[in-house]
Structures are given as structure tokens and as C-alpha cells.
Amino acid sequence: IVINLGTNDHKNSTAGEVTAATTAFLKTVRKNNPSAIIIFAYGMMGNTHEDAIKAGISACGDNKISFLKLKNAVNRVIGHPDAVSHQENAKILEAEIRKLTGWKN
């Protein structure tokens, strides 16, 4: 499972609120997907809440939930990443999925 949340979802939230929400959300995802590998991808449009999200992941105490730092998009189209940024981050995500799952082809 790949989750990519938090860029603008918590604009006015404190770090503590983001950590608590991340933990609660991931526990729900885990409850409904007991054996899944979960990747929390973040950072394509900034990293304001990176530490809070990492703390939320850590609080889960689940070694099958990981954080994946994405490359910050430089070129943006109307405030959103352009196709090149999506392609670059897709390569980062693919490499992480391959590493965590042993996927070869």
C-alpha cells in the first residue's frame, strides 16, 4: 500500500496533531490490511510535516510501515508537480517497492 498524504492536508495543524492523525490513520490501514507492506511517501511538494509523519509512523511500532522521502518538485504546473516530477518520483517509488518486496520484474 502506498500512501501519499500530508502536503496540503494539514496546512494549519500542529506537529502533534499531524503525528496523532498519522498514527491513527496508519493503525486503521493496518487493521484492514494485516499483512500489507505500507509505504508512506512524502515530500514531493515540500516537507513541512516530515518529522511529525515519521513520528506517527514510529509510534505505530510496525516494521512493515516505512517512510519514503520523495524528491521535491521543482517545476510546478498551477501549484502542482509537472510530468517530469511525477516520473522522477515514480522511479524512486518503484525502487523502494522493489527493495521492500524483492520484486524483480
Short mmCIF file of all heavy atoms in Angstrom, two decimals, residues 1-4 22-23 25-41 57 60 62-68 93 96-97 100-101:
data_model
loop_
_atom_site.label_atom_id
_atom_site.label_comp_id
_atom_site.label_asym_id
_atom_site.label_seq_id
_atom_site.Cartn_x
_atom_site.Cartn_y
_atom_site.Cartn_z
N ILE A 1 0.86 -1.16 0.00
CA ILE A 1 0.00 0.00 0.00
C ILE A 1 0.90 1.23 0.00
O ILE A 1 1.83 1.31 0.80
CB ILE A 1 -0.90 0.01 1.25
CG1 ILE A 1 -1.86 -1.17 1.20
CG2 ILE A 1 -1.65 1.34 1.36
CD1 ILE A 1 -2.66 -1.35 2.46
N VAL A 2 0.63 2.15 -0.89
CA VAL A 2 1.37 3.41 -0.94
C VAL A 2 0.43 4.53 -0.54
O VAL A 2 -0.64 4.69 -1.12
CB VAL A 2 1.96 3.67 -2.33
CG1 VAL A 2 2.69 5.01 -2.36
CG2 VAL A 2 2.90 2.54 -2.74
N ILE A 3 0.85 5.31 0.44
CA ILE A 3 0.10 6.46 0.92
C ILE A 3 0.93 7.70 0.63
O ILE A 3 2.12 7.73 0.93
CB ILE A 3 -0.18 6.34 2.43
CG1 ILE A 3 -1.03 5.10 2.70
CG2 ILE A 3 -0.82 7.61 2.97
CD1 ILE A 3 -1.08 4.70 4.16
N ASN A 4 0.31 8.70 0.05
CA ASN A 4 0.99 9.97 -0.23
C ASN A 4 0.07 11.07 0.24
O ASN A 4 -0.74 11.59 -0.52
CB ASN A 4 1.32 10.08 -1.72
CG ASN A 4 2.13 11.32 -2.03
OD1 ASN A 4 2.54 12.06 -1.16
ND2 ASN A 4 2.35 11.56 -3.31
N THR A 22 -1.59 10.80 11.89
CA THR A 22 -0.86 9.81 11.10
C THR A 22 -0.90 8.45 11.78
O THR A 22 -1.17 7.44 11.14
CB THR A 22 0.61 10.26 10.90
OG1 THR A 22 0.62 11.51 10.20
CG2 THR A 22 1.41 9.23 10.13
N THR A 23 -0.65 8.43 13.08
CA THR A 23 -0.67 7.17 13.83
C THR A 23 -2.05 6.52 13.75
O THR A 23 -2.17 5.33 13.45
CB THR A 23 -0.28 7.40 15.29
OG1 THR A 23 1.03 7.99 15.33
CG2 THR A 23 -0.26 6.10 16.08
N PHE A 25 -4.47 6.99 11.58
CA PHE A 25 -4.76 6.57 10.21
C PHE A 25 -4.04 5.28 9.86
O PHE A 25 -4.64 4.34 9.32
CB PHE A 25 -4.38 7.68 9.24
CG PHE A 25 -4.55 7.32 7.80
CD1 PHE A 25 -5.81 7.13 7.25
CD2 PHE A 25 -3.45 7.16 6.98
CE1 PHE A 25 -5.97 6.79 5.92
CE2 PHE A 25 -3.59 6.83 5.65
CZ PHE A 25 -4.86 6.64 5.11
N LEU A 26 -2.74 5.21 10.16
CA LEU A 26 -1.97 4.02 9.82
C LEU A 26 -2.44 2.79 10.59
O LEU A 26 -2.42 1.67 10.06
CB LEU A 26 -0.48 4.26 10.05
CG LEU A 26 0.18 5.23 9.05
CD1 LEU A 26 1.59 5.55 9.47
CD2 LEU A 26 0.13 4.66 7.64
N LYS A 27 -2.87 2.97 11.82
CA LYS A 27 -3.41 1.84 12.58
C LYS A 27 -4.69 1.32 11.94
O LYS A 27 -4.94 0.11 11.92
CB LYS A 27 -3.62 2.23 14.04
CG LYS A 27 -2.31 2.32 14.79
CD LYS A 27 -2.52 2.62 16.26
CE LYS A 27 -1.18 2.60 16.99
NZ LYS A 27 -1.34 2.76 18.43
N THR A 28 -5.50 2.21 11.39
CA THR A 28 -6.71 1.79 10.68
C THR A 28 -6.35 1.05 9.40
O THR A 28 -6.93 0.01 9.08
CB THR A 28 -7.60 3.00 10.36
OG1 THR A 28 -8.00 3.61 11.58
CG2 THR A 28 -8.83 2.60 9.57
N VAL A 29 -5.37 1.58 8.66
CA VAL A 29 -4.92 0.92 7.44
C VAL A 29 -4.39 -0.48 7.78
O VAL A 29 -4.72 -1.46 7.11
CB VAL A 29 -3.85 1.76 6.70
CG1 VAL A 29 -3.24 0.98 5.54
CG2 VAL A 29 -4.44 3.08 6.22
N ARG A 30 -3.60 -0.58 8.85
CA ARG A 30 -3.05 -1.87 9.25
C ARG A 30 -4.16 -2.84 9.66
O ARG A 30 -4.15 -4.00 9.27
CB ARG A 30 -2.06 -1.69 10.41
CG ARG A 30 -1.59 -2.98 11.05
CD ARG A 30 -0.95 -3.98 10.08
NE ARG A 30 0.31 -3.50 9.60
CZ ARG A 30 0.72 -3.63 8.34
NH1 ARG A 30 -0.02 -4.23 7.45
NH2 ARG A 30 1.89 -3.16 7.97
N LYS A 31 -5.13 -2.37 10.42
CA LYS A 31 -6.24 -3.22 10.87
C LYS A 31 -6.97 -3.83 9.67
O LYS A 31 -7.35 -5.00 9.70
CB LYS A 31 -7.22 -2.38 11.70
CG LYS A 31 -8.43 -3.16 12.17
CD LYS A 31 -9.37 -2.27 12.96
CE LYS A 31 -10.65 -3.02 13.28
NZ LYS A 31 -11.65 -2.14 13.87
N ASN A 32 -7.12 -3.06 8.61
CA ASN A 32 -7.84 -3.53 7.43
C ASN A 32 -6.95 -4.24 6.42
O ASN A 32 -7.46 -4.80 5.44
CB ASN A 32 -8.56 -2.36 6.76
CG ASN A 32 -9.69 -1.85 7.62
OD1 ASN A 32 -10.63 -2.58 7.91
ND2 ASN A 32 -9.60 -0.62 8.07
N ASN A 33 -5.65 -4.22 6.65
CA ASN A 33 -4.68 -4.86 5.74
C ASN A 33 -3.56 -5.46 6.59
O ASN A 33 -2.43 -4.97 6.58
CB ASN A 33 -4.11 -3.81 4.77
CG ASN A 33 -5.19 -3.15 3.96
OD1 ASN A 33 -5.64 -3.68 2.96
ND2 ASN A 33 -5.64 -1.98 4.42
N PRO A 34 -3.86 -6.52 7.33
CA PRO A 34 -2.92 -7.01 8.34
C PRO A 34 -1.56 -7.47 7.85
O PRO A 34 -0.60 -7.42 8.61
CB PRO A 34 -3.68 -8.17 9.00
CG PRO A 34 -4.83 -8.47 8.12
CD PRO A 34 -5.10 -7.27 7.28
N SER A 35 -1.44 -7.87 6.61
CA SER A 35 -0.14 -8.37 6.16
C SER A 35 0.54 -7.48 5.12
O SER A 35 1.61 -7.81 4.62
CB SER A 35 -0.29 -9.79 5.58
OG SER A 35 -1.16 -9.77 4.46
N ALA A 36 -0.05 -6.34 4.83
CA ALA A 36 0.48 -5.47 3.77
C ALA A 36 1.75 -4.74 4.19
O ALA A 36 1.95 -4.40 5.35
CB ALA A 36 -0.57 -4.43 3.39
N ILE A 37 2.59 -4.50 3.21
CA ILE A 37 3.70 -3.56 3.35
C ILE A 37 3.10 -2.18 3.09
O ILE A 37 2.37 -2.00 2.10
CB ILE A 37 4.82 -3.87 2.34
CG1 ILE A 37 5.47 -5.21 2.67
CG2 ILE A 37 5.85 -2.74 2.32
CD1 ILE A 37 6.42 -5.71 1.60
N ILE A 38 3.37 -1.23 3.96
CA ILE A 38 2.82 0.11 3.82
C ILE A 38 3.96 1.11 3.67
O ILE A 38 4.87 1.14 4.50
CB ILE A 38 1.95 0.49 5.03
CG1 ILE A 38 0.80 -0.52 5.21
CG2 ILE A 38 1.41 1.91 4.90
CD1 ILE A 38 0.03 -0.37 6.51
N ILE A 39 3.90 1.89 2.61
CA ILE A 39 4.90 2.92 2.35
C ILE A 39 4.21 4.27 2.45
O ILE A 39 3.24 4.52 1.74
CB ILE A 39 5.52 2.77 0.94
CG1 ILE A 39 6.19 1.40 0.80
CG2 ILE A 39 6.50 3.91 0.65
CD1 ILE A 39 6.58 1.07 -0.64
N PHE A 40 4.71 5.12 3.33
CA PHE A 40 4.20 6.48 3.43
C PHE A 40 5.16 7.37 2.66
O PHE A 40 6.25 7.69 3.13
CB PHE A 40 4.10 6.93 4.90
CG PHE A 40 3.17 8.09 5.11
CD1 PHE A 40 2.04 7.95 5.89
CD2 PHE A 40 3.42 9.32 4.52
CE1 PHE A 40 1.18 9.01 6.10
CE2 PHE A 40 2.57 10.39 4.71
CZ PHE A 40 1.43 10.24 5.50
N ALA A 41 4.77 7.76 1.45
CA ALA A 41 5.60 8.60 0.59
C ALA A 41 5.26 10.07 0.85
O ALA A 41 4.09 10.42 0.98
CB ALA A 41 5.33 8.25 -0.87
N ILE A 57 4.58 7.36 12.24
CA ILE A 57 4.93 6.02 11.77
C ILE A 57 5.63 5.26 12.89
O ILE A 57 5.30 4.11 13.18
CB ILE A 57 5.82 6.10 10.51
CG1 ILE A 57 5.01 6.66 9.33
CG2 ILE A 57 6.42 4.73 10.18
CD1 ILE A 57 5.86 7.05 8.13
N CYS A 60 3.56 3.75 15.65
CA CYS A 60 2.81 2.52 15.32
C CYS A 60 3.57 1.27 15.76
O CYS A 60 2.96 0.23 15.98
CB CYS A 60 2.53 2.46 13.82
SG CYS A 60 1.33 3.67 13.26
N ASP A 62 5.45 -0.64 13.99
CA ASP A 62 5.18 -1.66 12.96
C ASP A 62 6.30 -1.62 11.93
O ASP A 62 6.45 -0.64 11.20
CB ASP A 62 3.83 -1.32 12.30
CG ASP A 62 3.35 -2.34 11.30
OD1 ASP A 62 4.19 -3.00 10.64
OD2 ASP A 62 2.12 -2.46 11.16
N ASN A 63 7.09 -2.67 11.87
CA ASN A 63 8.26 -2.66 10.98
C ASN A 63 7.90 -2.87 9.50
O ASN A 63 8.77 -2.86 8.65
CB ASN A 63 9.31 -3.67 11.43
CG ASN A 63 8.85 -5.10 11.34
OD1 ASN A 63 7.72 -5.37 10.96
ND2 ASN A 63 9.71 -6.01 11.70
N LYS A 64 6.62 -3.03 9.20
CA LYS A 64 6.19 -3.13 7.81
C LYS A 64 5.56 -1.83 7.31
O LYS A 64 4.92 -1.79 6.28
CB LYS A 64 5.22 -4.31 7.64
CG LYS A 64 5.94 -5.67 7.77
CD LYS A 64 5.01 -6.82 7.59
CE LYS A 64 4.68 -7.00 6.13
NZ LYS A 64 3.82 -8.17 5.88
N ILE A 65 5.75 -0.77 8.10
CA ILE A 65 5.36 0.57 7.66
C ILE A 65 6.63 1.39 7.55
O ILE A 65 7.40 1.49 8.50
CB ILE A 65 4.40 1.26 8.66
CG1 ILE A 65 3.12 0.45 8.87
CG2 ILE A 65 4.05 2.66 8.16
CD1 ILE A 65 2.19 1.00 9.93
N SER A 66 6.86 1.98 6.38
CA SER A 66 8.09 2.75 6.18
C SER A 66 7.78 4.12 5.59
O SER A 66 6.72 4.35 5.02
CB SER A 66 9.05 1.99 5.26
OG SER A 66 8.47 1.80 3.98
N PHE A 67 8.74 5.00 5.76
CA PHE A 67 8.67 6.36 5.22
C PHE A 67 9.54 6.42 3.98
O PHE A 67 10.67 5.93 3.98
CB PHE A 67 9.18 7.36 6.26
CG PHE A 67 9.15 8.78 5.78
CD1 PHE A 67 8.00 9.53 5.92
CD2 PHE A 67 10.26 9.36 5.19
CE1 PHE A 67 7.96 10.86 5.47
CE2 PHE A 67 10.23 10.67 4.74
CZ PHE A 67 9.08 11.42 4.88
N LEU A 68 9.03 7.03 2.93
CA LEU A 68 9.81 7.22 1.70
C LEU A 68 9.83 8.70 1.37
O LEU A 68 8.79 9.30 1.10
CB LEU A 68 9.20 6.44 0.54
CG LEU A 68 9.90 6.63 -0.82
CD1 LEU A 68 11.34 6.12 -0.76
CD2 LEU A 68 9.12 5.94 -1.92
N LEU A 93 9.83 5.61 -6.12
CA LEU A 93 8.85 4.70 -5.53
C LEU A 93 9.05 3.28 -6.04
O LEU A 93 9.02 2.32 -5.26
CB LEU A 93 7.43 5.18 -5.84
CG LEU A 93 6.30 4.29 -5.33
CD1 LEU A 93 6.37 4.10 -3.82
CD2 LEU A 93 4.96 4.90 -5.75
N GLU A 96 11.89 1.61 -4.26
CA GLU A 96 11.54 1.27 -2.88
C GLU A 96 10.66 0.02 -2.83
O GLU A 96 10.86 -0.87 -2.00
CB GLU A 96 10.84 2.46 -2.19
CG GLU A 96 10.52 2.22 -0.75
CD GLU A 96 11.74 2.24 0.17
OE1 GLU A 96 12.86 2.49 -0.29
OE2 GLU A 96 11.55 1.99 1.37
N ILE A 97 9.69 -0.05 -3.72
CA ILE A 97 8.82 -1.23 -3.78
C ILE A 97 9.64 -2.47 -4.11
O ILE A 97 9.47 -3.53 -3.49
CB ILE A 97 7.67 -1.03 -4.79
CG1 ILE A 97 6.70 0.04 -4.27
CG2 ILE A 97 6.95 -2.34 -5.06
CD1 ILE A 97 5.66 0.49 -5.29
N LEU A 100 11.65 -3.45 -0.93
CA LEU A 100 10.85 -4.00 0.18
C LEU A 100 10.19 -5.34 -0.16
O LEU A 100 9.93 -6.12 0.75
CB LEU A 100 9.79 -3.00 0.61
CG LEU A 100 10.31 -1.71 1.24
CD1 LEU A 100 9.16 -0.74 1.50
CD2 LEU A 100 11.05 -1.99 2.54
N THR A 101 9.90 -5.56 -1.43
CA THR A 101 9.17 -6.77 -1.80
C THR A 101 10.02 -7.83 -2.49
O THR A 101 9.58 -8.97 -2.63
CB THR A 101 8.00 -6.44 -2.74
OG1 THR A 101 8.53 -5.95 -3.98
CG2 THR A 101 7.06 -5.43 -2.11
#
